[in-house]
């Protein structure tokens, strides 16, 4: 199998928005407007919308993801959804460790590690989020926080097991705030994360690691972010709820990128 693992990816995170009817309508609009997108395009939708969106985008280029999962395979876990159930409903991707899950629902690095294991075992493509808060950035802890999140979240895996992994750098201060990291700020952190991935899993692994940026990505700033050498895509919240804005992001325009492969 030939893997071009740094193919760009633009993923929408719909969070807890939209009715089923609105979900189907938005998914179809995005499908039609992103047919010629330069990279992969994924929609991460609420659990309840997975099946209907799967049906609406069947046979298209769009990929479908969930926003969380539980690591148990089955059992008495009221309110939870397993990796197998996500696959059964039509998902190929899943977000893990979003800062809203960490902050509001108590997802710890250890939980993220377990969720990652369950996602990989079910052959879901995991999008694992890391990011520092404003306070942490102000007190110059950004790199140590990220180093810790990465090491703990990815603990215990062999590089080959993590081949499908997608990382997302989402500075908490940029999520839903309209304050985007500048391309230079984001590039600095992406380069750092790639170096850390190299330390943990080897340089070949790091060279092929896709790292998405997330946090107030818009149709206006996406091209400049995507032009950075270590930014391989975007995880888009607010702007993913509008077909035209999200399609413009997915159809980003940057000078041709040199292909890199996980070696
Ligand atoms: P935002 O959210 O684009 O609305 O800032 C990004 C995210 O939370 O994934």
């Amino acid at each position: 199998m030939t893997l071009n693992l740094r193919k760009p990816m633009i993923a929408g995170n719909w969070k807890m928005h939209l009715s089923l009817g609105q979900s189907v309508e938005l998914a179809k609009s995005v499908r039609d407007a992103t047919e010629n997108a330069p990279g992969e395009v994924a929609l991460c939708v609420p659990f309840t919308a997975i099946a209907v969106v799967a049906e609406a985008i069947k046979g298209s280029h769009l990929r479908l993801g969930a926003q969380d999962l539980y690591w148990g395979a089955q059992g008495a876990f009221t309110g939870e959804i397993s990796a197998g159930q996500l696959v059964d409903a039509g998902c190929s991707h899943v977000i893990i460790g979003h800062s809203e899950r960490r902050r509001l629902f108590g997802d710890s690095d250890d939980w993220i590690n377990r969720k990652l294991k369950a996602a990989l075992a079910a052959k879901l493509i995991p999008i694992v989020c890391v990011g520092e808060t404003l306070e942490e950035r102000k007190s110059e802890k950004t790199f140590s926080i990220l180093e810790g999140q990465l090491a703990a979240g990815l603990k215990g895996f062999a590089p080959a097991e993590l081949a499908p992994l997608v990382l997302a750098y989402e500075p908490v201060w940029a999520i839903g705030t309209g304050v985007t990291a500048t391309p230079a700020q984001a590039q600095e952190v992406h380069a750092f994360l790639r170096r850390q991935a190299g330390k943990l899993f080897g340089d070949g692994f790091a060279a092929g690691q896709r790292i998405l940026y997330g946090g107030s990505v818009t149709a206006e700033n996406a091209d400049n972010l995507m032009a950075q050498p270590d930014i391989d895509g975007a995880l888009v919240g607010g702007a993913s709820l509008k077909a035209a804005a999200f399609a413009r992001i997915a159809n980003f325009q940057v000078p041709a990128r040199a292909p890199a492969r996980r070696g």
Side-chain angles (χ1 to χ4, degrees), residues 13 15 98 100 170 174-177 214-217 235-239:
N13 174 9
K15 306 193 180 183
H98 189 280
E100 285 150 18
E170 296 211 307
I175 296 177
T177 58
S216 298
V217 176
L235 183 53
V236 186

Side-chain angles (χ1 to χ4, degrees), residues 15-243:
K15 306 193 180 183
M16 197 174 74
H17 290 290
L18 308 179
S19 66
L20 293 185
Q22 290 168 329
S23 298
V24 167
E25 195 182 325
L26 178 59
K28 286 182 174 170
S29 301
V30 169
R31 175 196 64 193
D32 295 345
T34 60
E35 266 168 357
N36 300 313
E40 293 175 354
V41 185
L43 303 177
C44 298
V45 309
F47 291 134
T48 48
I50 293 169
V52 291
V53 172
E55 183 61 29
I57 64 174
K58 206 172 183 171
S60 79
H61 63 289
L62 288 185
R63 301 283 168 262
L64 185 57
Q67 301 168 13
D68 191 24
L69 80 166
Y70 181 66
W71 58 80
Q74 60 183 326
F77 303 108
T78 302
E80 294 297 326
I81 310 280
S82 72
Q85 288 175 315
L86 294 182
V87 172
D88 188 37
C91 285
S92 53
H93 291 58
V94 62
I95 298 173
I96 298 175
H98 189 280
S99 68
E100 285 150 18
R101 300 259 12 132
R102 293 178 187 258
R103 188 166 47 89
L104 302 172
F105 304 104
D107 278 28
S108 64
D109 286 326
D110 174 54
W111 282 22
I112 288 157
N113 186 261
R114 291 173 195 225
K115 290 179 178 189
L116 174 58
K117 194 166 186 182
L120 289 168
K123 303 217 178 317
L124 285 166
I125 294 176
I127 304 173
V128 173
C129 303
V130 295
E132 82 286 1
T133 63
L134 186 58
E135 254 176 36
E136 289 161 349
R137 176 162 280 261
K138 280 186 177 160
S139 53
E140 298 187 355
K141 291 194 193 125
T142 297
F143 294 130
S144 61
I145 290 290
L146 293 172
E147 184 180 349
Q149 289 177 347
L150 206 61
L154 307 185
K155 195 171 145 190
F157 291 100
E161 292 175 296
L162 289 178
L165 174 71
V166 177
L167 286 175
Y169 168 55
E170 296 211 307
V172 179
W173 47 272
I175 296 177
T177 58
V179 182
T180 319
T182 64
Q185 277 175 325
Q187 165 58 27
E188 183 189 28
V189 172
H190 281 232
F192 171 79
L193 289 172
R194 198 175 302 290
R195 282 197 301 279
Q196 290 304 308
K199 282 186 192 166
L200 293 170
F201 302 109
D203 290 345
F205 178 91
Q209 179 59 56
R210 285 192 289 186
I211 309 176
L212 317 184
Y213 168 79
S216 298
V217 176
T218 63
E220 289 72 36
N221 61 29
D223 290 353
N224 284 336
L225 288 161
M226 290 302 294
Q228 300 301 310
D230 287 295
I231 297 184
D232 305 309
L235 183 53
V236 186
S240 74
L241 298 171
K242 299 201 177 85

